Amino acid sequence: MLSSIVDCFCWSLTIDFIKGTTSIISKADIESVTIGTNVTSISNQAFAYCSSLTSVSFESGSQLTSISGYVFSDTGLTTITIPSSVTSIDNNAFSGVSNFTMNIESGSSLNLTAGSGQTLYGGTNVTVNLLS
């Protein structure tokens, strides 16, 4: 269920509420997504197979705490900044995604090490930046 979609001409999407366990968007030509502050979790396969999806951002003050399995699997993701509120990411959240950058906001409780070429949450050749 989506409570807000902005500029949805299959180019960009703003999401304020995500509910359910199956894909809400599949194989669409969405290039970027902004997750609203009220989203606390992203369910399984929410953006799976959105091959044109390259950028995901979160509104300031994000309340997101968990990213479930295969949420971003087989996307064209090139960069994502994980909010400090996130406490868990499923082992396969980024399955099938390679050569992307994961920025981790300061204050995060995720136990990650900065560096490149990592295999992380199912993604390969991941560059991790710990933001200060």
Side-chain angles (χ1 to χ4, degrees):
M1 178 179 182
L2 300 177
S3 64
S4 176
I5 298 176
V6 178
D7 295 329
C8 187
F9 295 103
C10 293
W11 304 114
S12 66
L13 183 67
T14 297
I15 297 178
D16 289 327
F17 181 72
I18 300 173
K19 183 176 182 178
T21 58
T22 60
S23 181
I24 60 167
I25 302 163
S26 182
K27 299 181 183 177
D29 291 327
I30 296 169
E31 295 175 351
S32 66
V33 173
T34 301
I35 307 294
T37 57
N38 294 328
V39 175
T40 57
S41 66
I42 305 175
S43 297
N44 292 335
Q45 299 181 352
F47 301 102
Y49 308 109
C50 289
S51 59
S52 295
L53 180 62
T54 59
S55 177
V56 176
S57 61
F58 299 88
E59 290 182 347
S60 179
S62 175
Q63 298 176 33
L64 186 72
T65 58
S66 65
I67 299 173
S68 297
Y70 303 97
V71 167
F72 299 111
S73 68
D74 298 301
T75 62
L77 194 65
T78 58
T79 185
I80 187 168
T81 298
I82 304 293
S84 60
S85 58
V86 173
T87 57
S88 68
I89 301 175
D90 186 86
N91 286 339
N92 296 308
F94 297 93
S95 178
V97 183
S98 62
N99 302 311
F100 71 100
T101 299
M102 181 181 291
N103 299 310
I104 308 297
E105 283 186 352
S106 176
S108 173
S109 64
L110 296 173
N111 188 17
L112 299 175
T113 304
S116 59
Q118 298 187 47
T119 298
L120 190 64
Y121 304 118
T124 57
N125 201 24
V126 182
T127 298
V128 176
N129 297 316
L130 304 177
L131 305 177
S132 52

